[in-house]
Amino acid sequence: MPLELLHVINSLPSKGYIQMTPSEAAALLSARLAEYASDRRKDVARGAETPALAGVLVQKFGYGLADAFRLVFPDDRGSFGYPEVDAAVATVDPEWRSHQDTRWSARPAGLSLQSAGGATE
């Protein structure tokens, strides 16, 4: 966890609620999304995940963060949303739009996992 994110978390009140401005929340969520995308890039680099799988993981994670942000801050327009998530996805999978189109055209979409020995599961 990045130090600045840890600092923000440690400075939160322990009263069971958090008061945060939209820009503070957006910065916190952006940092968490960047950390998650970085972790996925590392997994791609070491051969643990394909860029397509890592990209969809980042997208789904990020869209969840963006949706939660909109629930908490419905009047805020532009601090944190799908465009920021899409940019993070592109850092993991530069061909994510093509991969997304392929996924959407598959009915139902699924995973085709292949082991190191070549067997498909």
Side-chain angles (χ1 to χ4, degrees):
M1 184 172 299
L3 288 177
E4 61 272 2
L5 183 57
L6 189 57
H7 173 71
V8 169
I9 291 170
N10 288 337
S11 68
L12 296 174
S14 59
K15 296 176 183 170
Y17 64 90
I18 300 169
Q19 286 189 306
M20 195 177 290
T21 67
S23 61
E24 290 169 333
L28 186 68
L29 294 175
S30 293
R32 181 63 187 107
L33 178 61
E35 178 185 28
Y36 188 77
S38 174
D39 290 345
R40 300 286 63 79
R41 284 192 302 274
K42 290 174 188 172
D43 284 344
V44 169
R46 68 182 179 90
E49 296 172 357
T50 64
L53 175 60
V56 77
L57 292 172
V58 171
Q59 184 185 52
K60 299 304 181 184
F61 177 78
Y63 283 2
L65 293 177
D67 291 344
F69 181 84
R70 290 286 176 249
L71 284 172
V72 176
F73 301 105
D75 296 330
D76 185 89
R77 301 283 180 239
S79 292
F80 184 82
Y82 287 7
E84 290 77 17
V85 175
D86 292 346
V89 172
T91 70
V92 175
D93 179 13
E95 298 178 36
W96 73 272
R97 289 195 188 274
S98 171
H99 292 146
Q100 176 176 268
D101 290 343
T102 301
R103 216 174 48 251
W104 285 355
S105 66
R107 294 286 183 243
L111 294 175
S112 177
L113 304 175
Q114 191 170 15
S115 67
T120 302
E121 300 175 21

